[in-house]
Amino acid sequence: MNAMDMVTRGGAPARSAVQGCYEDPLEEDVAGDHAITATRRGLTRLALVATEVGARFQREAEGLDPMGWMLAPRRLFGGSTAIEACLGREGFMRALLLHGLSLGLDAEPSRFDALLCDTPGDLGGGFWEGGEGSGGQPGRPVARRHRLYSAMIVIARGGEIVHLFHASIAPAASVVRERIRARFGAVAAAQAEIQVGVDLGCPATIGMLPPAFRLMVERGRRVRWSTMTGLDVTVEHRIPS
């Protein structure tokens, strides 16, 4: 699959549609080429999204083409493409979250409304403790059904020291520990230091956070966890022992 082949999952158009809409980047510019005005900040957004898409597709090893994803119209951008939409902040944020959190290849924009709202949260409490029942009214208890948990794990395996960071939404820490056990084994589960939220004061943790996830954590934005219960982030660093 070359750089102009399309990702066909998630309703993307076929290769011929892309070739009919986009000029060959290997050719010289011509007078009739469509000009787009962009700021340096916008170009930086586009470059960051392209980097994140490429890193994700390589990480997940599914044989998908990053360029194909960038050129295909997406519901995420209201039918526009990433190379156009990600010049602006809204499209950039949606793409960064979609790929940084591995939430599929496309999604309805409304899925990201809760993540991108401007309501400040409290990293130490209610922000990470999702649920329903309070309606935002003072004095009423919050049904804390799901919270964000994270864990740092260091284990020796196969002549390597493996550093693991895991974060996911769950009703209890015990559920997270079982996920770690199923994925990495009993030793990792036993050594996992599981906590509510993410320790932003730990340099080792910050160094392992994917850009989109780190952005969400650092900004402390409020999330409706009923729309994010599938969130599951794991990062591995391996060092020869």
Side-chain angles (χ1 to χ4, degrees):
M1 183 181 292
N2 63 37
M4 295 301 290
D5 284 327
M6 291 307 303
V7 177
T8 56
R9 292 170 53 189
R15 177 181 178 181
S16 59
V18 173
Q19 289 180 319
C21 295
Y22 294 95
E23 300 81 3
D24 185 346
L26 300 179
E27 297 290 338
E28 295 286 348
D29 291 355
V30 299
D33 284 349
H34 178 62
I36 297 176
T37 301
T39 64
R40 183 180 177 88
R41 192 190 307 275
L43 292 175
T44 302
R45 292 184 184 121
L46 181 60
L48 180 55
V49 168
T51 301
E52 187 68 22
V53 173
R56 177 195 173 187
F57 285 4
Q58 182 179 41
R59 181 172 67 246
E60 297 181 0
E62 294 190 23
L64 302 177
D65 178 35
M67 192 65 174
W69 190 91
M70 296 293 294
L71 294 176
R74 300 287 167 187
R75 287 178 291 130
L76 185 68
F77 309 125
S80 186
T81 66
I83 63 169
E84 297 160 338
C86 293
L87 291 170
R89 184 178 180 277
E90 184 177 77
F92 162 75
M93 292 292 289
R94 289 175 180 173
L96 198 61
L97 290 170
L98 181 82
H99 290 290
L101 304 180
S102 296
L103 299 177
L105 297 179
D106 202 359
E108 293 297 332
S110 58
R111 185 176 185 186
F112 297 87
D113 288 347
L115 294 174
L116 302 177
C117 67
D118 291 323
T119 306
D122 176 6
L123 290 177
F127 171 68
W128 296 118
E129 298 172 356
E132 300 155 0
S134 68
Q137 300 178 19
R140 294 188 62 183
V142 177
R144 294 175 177 173
R145 298 177 180 174
H146 287 83
R147 294 186 286 184
L148 176 68
Y149 290 88
S150 67
M152 286 293 296
I153 307 159
V154 180
I155 56 175
R157 177 184 294 169
E160 297 177 318
I161 303 298
V162 183
H163 292 253
L164 298 167
F165 169 82
H166 173 82
S168 59
I169 307 300
S174 58
V175 175
V176 177
R177 193 173 300 277
E178 177 57 26
R179 290 173 184 168
I180 294 171
R181 186 203 65 76
R183 191 171 302 176
F184 301 108
V187 173
Q191 295 186 14
E193 299 179 5
I194 301 174
Q195 64 178 21
V196 176
V198 177
D199 183 4
L200 296 176
C202 175
T205 298
I206 291 297
M208 296 185 74
L209 294 183
F213 189 70
R214 177 174 176 174
L215 180 66
M216 186 173 68
V217 172
E218 289 181 338
R219 286 178 176 262
R221 295 176 182 268
R222 194 172 300 277
V223 176
R224 295 188 190 96
W225 293 120
S226 60
T227 67
M228 295 298 296
T229 52
L231 187 148
D232 188 323
V233 177
T234 301
V235 179
E236 272 187 61
H237 287 178
R238 297 176 177 270
I239 303 172
S241 59

